[in-house]
Amino acid sequence: MLEQQNKSAELEQMVVHTQNLDITLQELKNFVDANDIITDPDYQRRYVYDNKRASSLIESILIGIPIPVVYLAEEDEGIYSVIDGQQRITSFVRYLKNEFPLTGLKELKSLNGLLFKELDKSLQRRLKIKKISAVCIEKDSRELKYEIFSRLNLGAVKLRDQEVRNCLYRGKFNDMLKDIANTNPYLPSLFHDDNKRFAYEERILRFFALRNYMQLKGTYKLMMNDYMEHHLCDTDEQIKEAKNLYNGLIELIKTVLGENAFYSKSSQRKKFNGAVYDSIIIPFSYYPKKSILHHADEIRNEIEKLKSEDEEYNNMVYVGSNAGNKIRTRINAIMSILNRIIDHDDAKTNKRFFSYEIKEKLFHPGCICSYCGNQILSIDDCEVDHIIPYDKGGPTVIENAQLLHRSCNRSKGNRVINDDDFIDDSDDETDI
């Protein structure tokens, strides 16, 4: 009985709650103009209809040919984003706004060359009251919109995960991923390929999403989705900080390890390996740049030796490489090298506890507890915690520091989520 109840509860969580609406073209235009329906031109595949194809759509609705249903997702404040149907919606709105004349019509040839304002008044009214059907995914089901969009777009060429994320998680963080991918001068030489189908953006996101690798939970794909969802409203300062962090790391890695930094030595092909990338860029992000540069030769030699001789490490960067235990093991291997080589005494960081000065640098009005996700109201109500636990080799430096409520920090300890709580649902492409 209990098992049956659990199955019913699981099914209820996955049920998509929707409502069906019939929207006139005039209402559609009004909604778009008021930004109540978002059809951002940066939306995944962007607007690709030419005027002839858009004209054919106008002709179809005028003569009564059924128009495929569009799918909308309810966002905050009653705004809707388009999941499927952007081309149709944009074409109708463009014509009602007189942005193109009808062309190439086969049935209503007399209308060729006419803008909307040039149609007879009766035909204008007839077009404005024409309706399209919309399925609106209600707000309590919007976490499923990633899966819905994927299923609606099962075509000859399946959309890659990051192509879908680019469509669903539009905002400053997504713009930052694209900006880094398009402007960072070192990525082509380190990745050894072109940025096709948002491959660079996914690798950049991969760094941010996996950085707290001691707390992996859920599934690989969901973790990546959740990270973008949670950073939709990042401030300009947070975006700038994240961008500077990533760009600085890429330049540092290129300087210390060279163009082959993200290769695996045991591979028979010289190709970017995402698992090797994780194992290097994440540990590098937790140590001061000057400390790494000071020991660059020794770090380079030890990492090359690890790649060439360590069988366990090489097992962690191939089949099933996105399983939780493999992610932690390969990152800890590089973390151990850095921890062993970098002289913490010289850096004055050979201690377990952070200074009050670091606490002051981290605290700001509105800062959020990294454990519970709630706002920290007072500097006296928080403590500085290691992101990578001290007992796991994490250094006591600001790069490895986070603020938590005092009560959260003392209840958290240095627990690591069990590997069974993290499922690899990726395509297991180590070159992504």
Side-chain angles (χ1 to χ4, degrees):
M1 178 66 71
L2 181 60
E3 181 179 356
Q4 186 175 1
Q5 290 176 342
N6 289 337
K7 289 182 178 179
S8 298
E10 182 180 5
L11 177 61
E12 179 60 27
Q13 288 181 342
M14 295 303 295
V15 171
V16 180
H17 299 132
T18 64
Q19 58 175 319
N20 297 323
L21 296 177
D22 288 329
I23 307 174
T24 68
L25 297 193
Q26 182 61 51
E27 290 172 333
L28 190 65
K29 176 183 176 296
N30 294 342
F31 288 144
V32 172
D33 286 345
N35 290 321
D36 291 329
I37 293 179
I38 304 299
T39 56
D40 194 316
D42 189 37
Y43 193 80
Q44 211 267 318
R45 289 184 173 175
R46 303 185 180 180
Y47 182 70
V48 298
Y49 276 16
D50 58 22
N51 289 345
K52 184 176 180 180
R53 189 169 183 182
S55 297
S56 179
L57 186 67
I58 302 297
E59 182 181 50
S60 295
I61 200 167
L62 280 172
I63 63 178
I65 295 177
I67 303 299
V69 64
V70 300
Y71 288 80
L72 309 174
E74 185 181 8
E75 309 289 351
D76 294 328
E77 300 178 352
I79 294 173
Y80 287 87
S81 61
V82 181
I83 292 183
D84 187 67
Q86 187 228 7
Q87 304 297 319
R88 279 159 275 157
I89 291 174
T90 305
S91 294
F92 288 132
V93 172
R94 286 185 64 230
Y95 187 66
L96 291 184
K97 294 172 73 171
N98 298 295
E99 293 184 8
F100 67 94
L102 296 174
T103 182
L105 302 187
K106 296 180 179 179
E107 303 299 328
L108 303 175
K109 295 180 181 180
S110 63
L111 302 183
N112 280 323
L114 298 182
L115 296 167
F116 174 75
K117 65 183 179 181
E118 296 171 331
L119 299 176
D120 290 340
K121 293 296 183 182
S122 60
L123 197 53
Q124 289 181 18
R125 287 192 290 271
R126 179 178 172 187
L127 187 58
K128 288 193 291 186
I129 64 173
K130 285 287 186 178
K131 295 180 179 180
I132 61 171
S133 297
V135 174
C136 301
I137 298 162
E138 296 180 358
K139 192 173 181 179
D140 61 353
S141 296
R142 67 177 177 179
E143 289 185 2
L144 296 173
K145 65 181 180 180
Y146 178 94
E147 182 64 27
I148 295 166
F149 184 87
S150 297
R151 297 192 182 202
L152 288 172
N153 285 274
L154 290 176
V157 179
K158 184 179 183 296
L159 292 179
R160 286 178 59 168
D161 292 339
Q162 195 62 27
E163 290 179 300
V164 178
R165 293 186 191 106
N166 178 62
C167 173
L168 298 182
Y169 304 117
R170 302 186 306 279
K172 292 180 180 179
F173 186 83
N174 188 51
D175 291 342
M176 181 202 71
L177 296 181
K178 291 186 285 188
D179 185 37
I180 295 174
N182 292 327
T183 63
N184 187 292
Y186 304 107
L187 293 185
S189 60
L190 282 168
F191 289 165
H192 297 275
D193 57 15
D194 297 326
N195 186 22
K196 296 178 179 177
R197 304 186 66 185
F198 293 89
Y200 284 14
E201 286 85 348
E202 183 163 35
R203 293 166 189 170
I204 299 165
L205 171 64
R206 182 184 180 116
F207 160 71
F208 288 107
L210 289 179
R211 193 174 182 225
N212 193 5
Y213 68 98
M214 304 299 284
Q215 299 294 323
L216 302 176
K217 189 173 183 180
T219 72
Y220 180 85
K221 186 181 295 185
L222 182 60
M223 178 191 64
M224 301 275 276
N225 296 347
D226 283 348
Y227 195 90
M228 292 201 71
E229 177 82 31
H230 291 154
H231 289 268
L232 282 174
C233 299
D234 277 4
T235 64
D236 290 340
E237 186 62 31
Q238 289 171 319
I239 293 295
K240 180 180 178 181
E241 183 179 341
K243 182 179 178 180
N244 289 342
L245 171 64
Y246 189 85
N247 283 334
L249 282 170
I250 287 296
E251 182 178 8
L252 177 63
I253 291 168
K254 176 72 161 33
T255 301
V256 176
L257 301 180
E259 293 184 356
N260 295 338
F262 304 138
Y263 281 170
S264 170
K265 282 288 186 180
S266 61
S267 176
Q268 298 300 312
R269 56 179 184 167
K270 291 204 177 284
K271 190 175 183 181
F272 172 85
N273 184 303
V276 174
Y277 164 82
D278 298 339
S279 73
I280 291 172
I281 193 170
I282 292 174
F284 270 54
S285 74
Y286 287 119
Y287 288 83
K289 177 180 179 180
K290 63 180 181 180
S291 299
I292 293 176
L293 289 174
H294 184 69
H295 298 279
D297 290 342
E298 191 176 358
I299 289 171
R300 184 187 311 113
N301 291 336
E302 287 297 309
I303 289 178
E304 290 298 308
K305 183 179 178 181
L306 179 77
K307 290 181 177 181
S308 299
E309 302 177 8
D310 194 298
E311 183 177 349
E312 182 183 31
Y313 174 81
N314 282 295
N315 286 337
M316 297 300 120
V317 298
Y318 278 100
V319 179
S321 62
N322 289 327
N325 66 319
K326 292 195 172 186
I327 292 172
R328 295 189 189 97
T329 300
R330 65 177 179 256
I331 293 175
N332 281 334
I334 303 294
M335 188 75 76
S336 296
I337 289 175
L338 298 181
N339 197 43
R340 184 173 67 251
I341 292 175
I342 293 176
D343 187 347
H344 293 299
D345 286 326
D346 287 347
K348 297 181 180 180
T349 56
N350 190 23
K351 56 186 183 295
R352 184 183 186 97
F353 300 104
F354 290 96
S355 67
Y356 191 81
E357 180 183 6
I358 288 181
K359 185 177 183 180
E360 288 183 314
K361 288 182 179 179
L362 292 175
F363 182 80
H364 58 85
C367 69
I368 301 299
C369 173
S370 299
Y371 186 69
C372 71
N374 294 310
Q375 185 175 344
I376 299 173
L377 299 178
S378 167
I379 193 171
D380 297 323
D381 188 36
C382 65
E383 294 178 344
V384 188
D385 176 53
H386 291 78
I387 299 173
I388 304 304
Y390 182 84
D391 293 343
K392 306 294 183 182
T396 308
V397 293
I398 195 169
E399 290 83 359
N400 191 41
Q402 60 184 349
L403 284 183
L404 276 69
H405 286 113
R406 189 184 305 275
S407 57
C408 291
N409 190 36
R410 300 190 179 187
S411 65
K412 176 184 76 69
N414 66 348
R415 295 190 300 273
V416 176
I417 292 177
N418 190 287
D419 288 333
D420 292 339
D421 290 333
F422 186 74
I423 301 170
D424 177 12
D425 64 344
S426 67
D427 294 331
D428 193 28
E429 297 182 37
T430 55
D431 59 332
I432 291 304

